[in-house]
Amino acid sequence: MDELPLAVDRSDRRPLSVQIADELRNAATDGRLRGGDRMPSSRALAARLGVSRTVVTAAYDQLHAEGWISGRHGSGTYLTAAPAPASNHAGAQADSDSAGELLDLAPGAPCAEAMDSAAWRRAWRAAGDRGPAVRKDRAGDPGYRAMVAEHLLRHRGLRVDQPARIIATAGTSSAVAEFARAVLRPGDAVAIEDPGYLRAVGAFRSAGVEVVPVPMDRDGILVESIPAHVRAVYCTPAHQFPLGVRMPAGRRIQLVDLARRTGAVIIEDDYDGELRYDSAPLPLLAGLAPDLVVHLGTTSKILSPTLGVGWLVAAPWIVAAVLEHRESTGAWPAPAGQLVLAELARHGDLARHLRRLRREVPPRRTLTVTELRRHGLDIRGDDAGSHLVVPLPDAAAEGRAIALARRRGVLLDGLARHHAGPRQAFGIALGYTAVPRDQLPRALRIAAECLAAAAHGTHTDVRATFQGWQ
């Protein structure tokens, strides 16, 4: 707590006690504070912040009423509930000893129940029959890359005219990191959706690249807000993470036109593009401008992160730069997962699995929507992927929902922590694929009750926080 950055702003119209409560609540929501952490005394925190003890006491009283903190006789005050931050598209992962007992409604996890266990075992056995390799191919196993080309054509409508434009990756986050270090230079700027995928933000920043957060509306990233000097634009057009909106054709063309004018590269993260149920997918950005777009895909949302494989499709000069970077660093993806996925495809099991997903996941979404609306909750997000969004009025309501659900055994993930810039959207990104089918109704009922309690506990209009993308 002594090292936790907390501040109050006397020019802010909010009362100081509200600011302190918000700061502590946000620290618990994004993982800087964890359940069991001892809070400073009201006297000590007041002295540190330069406020009266009464102000801190009022903040603590509010947090205690919301269930965030509790007092222990003779010991002090402790944080009683704190959701852990999510580390990837899969959403929040609890870091407490009881994490495995939570029903996981965080976004992005695959629907493991849809996987045919016999097909899964058969693919691993067949991959093992290949025998150990002597050397790894920097670009990935040739059979795997050929399988990716066929997969993209059949399931994403993307024809790759040159097989050499496809290389294997360890997933989208790894591919972003490789692109940043191989193609960009320290100090270059990249525009990224905000809120957006924070692992991509981390990958760019670790390479010394400046991240420029760009706001969203209901059609995706606001192209007119992208600065002309950026070297690249990162986006998730098929199903934006975490807001769940789909970029329409007009916005896609607008983005491509901007890239042609400025010379920027577009990074299209198609992390769950295969999961569309209500209509045919729109043309990929890579199909509209293969010379300008780096297309990224992964198996972690449609199959399992166990495989640890994905793909990158790009212009030859970008592929050459990534391969040169791999050669100089000696780091490239392990082939085992590539061999397993190729075997799944060779036996037709991958196509059957995708058909099974398209039957299994829509009823889960329908069940989720029905339960949320039964509790009077609003819903955002396209009918695709494995999550939707329940908007909430502010960070306080979001934090309350997460804490209430966690105390009842359900893991939720909030929108506030997904911002690289100022927070502009609050709510819960709610996944419906990780929880087993027989436990999903109970998990959704608990989540809906907690969300309704959090949303109705304030007089703020929820719609006001989502004006840009209603």
Side-chain angles (χ1 to χ4, degrees), residues 7-230:
V8 292
D9 181 1
R10 285 174 169 77
S11 66
D12 194 321
R13 294 183 178 181
R14 294 175 301 159
L16 295 177
S17 61
V18 172
Q19 294 185 47
I20 294 170
D22 285 348
E23 287 279 299
L24 292 171
R25 195 184 294 108
N26 291 338
T29 301
D30 63 23
R32 288 175 290 157
L33 286 177
R34 300 180 180 183
D37 282 353
R38 189 176 188 276
M39 309 296 287
S41 68
S42 58
R43 189 185 305 277
L45 187 55
R48 177 179 163 192
L49 297 177
V51 299
S52 72
R53 186 180 178 188
T54 304
V55 169
V56 176
T57 300
Y60 277 12
D61 287 345
Q62 179 62 36
L63 293 173
H64 185 274
E66 295 173 6
W68 286 95
I69 60 176
S70 64
R72 300 179 189 174
H73 183 68
S75 177
T77 302
Y78 292 82
L79 190 72
T80 57
S87 58
N88 53 30
H89 284 312
Q93 296 184 2
D95 57 4
S96 70
D97 292 338
S98 62
E101 301 173 3
L102 295 174
L103 296 172
D104 186 357
L105 291 180
C111 186
E113 284 189 322
M115 187 66 226
D116 181 348
S117 58
W120 181 253
R121 291 193 297 270
R122 181 167 58 244
W124 281 93
R125 286 196 299 268
D129 289 341
R130 290 275 298 269
V134 176
R135 295 184 185 275
K136 291 191 294 185
D137 190 319
R138 286 180 302 158
D141 178 74
Y144 169 77
R145 292 159 62 203
M147 180 280 302
V148 170
E150 179 67 16
H151 173 81
L152 290 173
L153 180 61
R154 292 183 60 186
H155 298 284
R156 299 301 289 128
L158 179 64
R159 181 182 298 277
V160 183
D161 53 359
Q162 303 173 43
R165 292 179 57 227
I166 301 174
I167 58 176
T169 71
T172 54
S173 300
S174 174
V176 169
E178 286 194 293
F179 173 86
R181 295 187 179 277
V183 178
L184 303 178
R185 299 185 301 270
D188 283 347
V190 173
I192 189 166
E193 302 162 325
D194 197 49
Y197 181 35
L198 289 190
R199 270 202 169 178
V201 172
F204 286 125
R205 286 178 173 165
S206 68
V209 173
E210 177 194 359
V211 171
V212 181
V214 179
M216 303 279 299
D217 69 4
R218 64 180 179 273
D219 290 335
I221 192 168
L222 287 169
V223 176
E224 60 270 22
S225 298
I226 298 174
H229 71 283
V230 300

Side-chain angles (χ1 to χ4, degrees), residues 423-449:
R423 295 175 178 181
Q424 58 179 319
F426 304 97
I428 297 298
L430 194 147
Y432 39 80
T433 51
V435 176
R437 189 185 304 110
D438 60 342
Q439 299 181 53
L440 185 59
R442 180 169 70 90
L444 291 173
R445 176 179 53 79
I446 292 171
E449 290 172 356

Side-chain angles (χ1 to χ4, degrees), residues 378 380 391-393 424 460-470:
D378 198 6
R380 295 284 185 270
L392 291 171
Q424 58 179 319
T460 306
D461 186 354
V462 172
R463 292 170 296 179
T465 67
F466 282 79
Q467 288 177 351
W469 58 285
Q470 291 188 78

Side-chain angles (χ1 to χ4, degrees), residues 89-414:
H89 284 312
Q93 296 184 2
D95 57 4
S96 70
D97 292 338
S98 62
E101 301 173 3
L102 295 174
L103 296 172
D104 186 357
L105 291 180
C111 186
E113 284 189 322
M115 187 66 226
D116 181 348
S117 58
W120 181 253
R121 291 193 297 270
R122 181 167 58 244
W124 281 93
R125 286 196 299 268
D129 289 341
R130 290 275 298 269
V134 176
R135 295 184 185 275
K136 291 191 294 185
D137 190 319
R138 286 180 302 158
D141 178 74
Y144 169 77
R145 292 159 62 203
M147 180 280 302
V148 170
E150 179 67 16
H151 173 81
L152 290 173
L153 180 61
R154 292 183 60 186
H155 298 284
R156 299 301 289 128
L158 179 64
R159 181 182 298 277
V160 183
D161 53 359
Q162 303 173 43
R165 292 179 57 227
I166 301 174
I167 58 176
T169 71
T172 54
S173 300
S174 174
V176 169
E178 286 194 293
F179 173 86
R181 295 187 179 277
V183 178
L184 303 178
R185 299 185 301 270
D188 283 347
V190 173
I192 189 166
E193 302 162 325
D194 197 49
Y197 181 35
L198 289 190
R199 270 202 169 178
V201 172
F204 286 125
R205 286 178 173 165
S206 68
V209 173
E210 177 194 359
V211 171
V212 181
V214 179
M216 303 279 299
D217 69 4
R218 64 180 179 273
D219 290 335
I221 192 168
L222 287 169
V223 176
E224 60 270 22
S225 298
I226 298 174
H229 71 283
V230 300
R231 289 283 313 281
V233 180
Y234 170 91
C235 60
T236 51
H239 189 227
Q240 199 274 338
F241 187 88
L243 298 184
V245 300
R246 175 171 63 163
M247 185 183 292
R251 182 67 59 86
R252 295 178 190 225
I253 293 171
Q254 185 185 6
L255 179 58
V256 168
D257 288 344
L258 173 77
R260 291 207 181 279
R261 291 197 311 271
T262 63
V265 174
I266 301 171
I267 303 169
E268 177 182 40
D269 186 344
D270 196 45
Y271 70 97
D272 69 352
E274 294 89 347
L275 302 181
R276 174 155 290 284
Y277 322 113
D278 64 337
S279 62
L282 290 168
L284 293 171
L285 291 171
L288 296 175
D291 56 326
L292 297 176
V293 176
V294 177
H295 178 82
L296 306 180
T298 180
T299 60
S300 65
K301 310 304 176 293
I302 59 173
L303 281 166
S304 169
T306 300
L307 297 178
V309 294
W311 49 87
L312 178 152
V313 183
W317 72 272
I318 292 177
V319 169
V322 173
L323 295 182
E324 182 179 349
H325 173 72
R326 290 181 178 180
E327 183 64 30
S328 65
T329 60
W332 50 78
Q338 300 171 35
L339 300 182
V340 173
L341 188 63
E343 290 297 335
L344 279 168
R346 186 168 70 87
H347 291 285
D349 291 319
L350 178 59
R352 281 189 286 273
H353 174 71
L354 291 175
R355 290 195 295 270
R356 195 176 301 113
L357 275 180
R358 294 180 184 121
R359 294 193 302 270
E360 169 74 20
V361 178
R364 286 171 170 259
R365 189 181 194 280
T366 299
L367 180 66
T368 304
V369 170
T370 300
E371 184 67 28
L372 294 172
R373 286 183 173 159
R374 189 171 70 84
H375 285 78
L377 294 163
D378 198 6
I379 296 167
R380 295 284 185 270
D382 215 41
D383 189 2
S386 58
H387 79 277
L388 49 76
V389 170
V390 180
L392 291 171
D394 50 36
E398 182 181 300
R400 284 196 299 272
I402 293 171
L404 288 170
R406 188 181 182 90
R407 293 213 304 271
R408 296 181 62 184
V410 172
L411 184 65
L412 299 179
D413 185 26

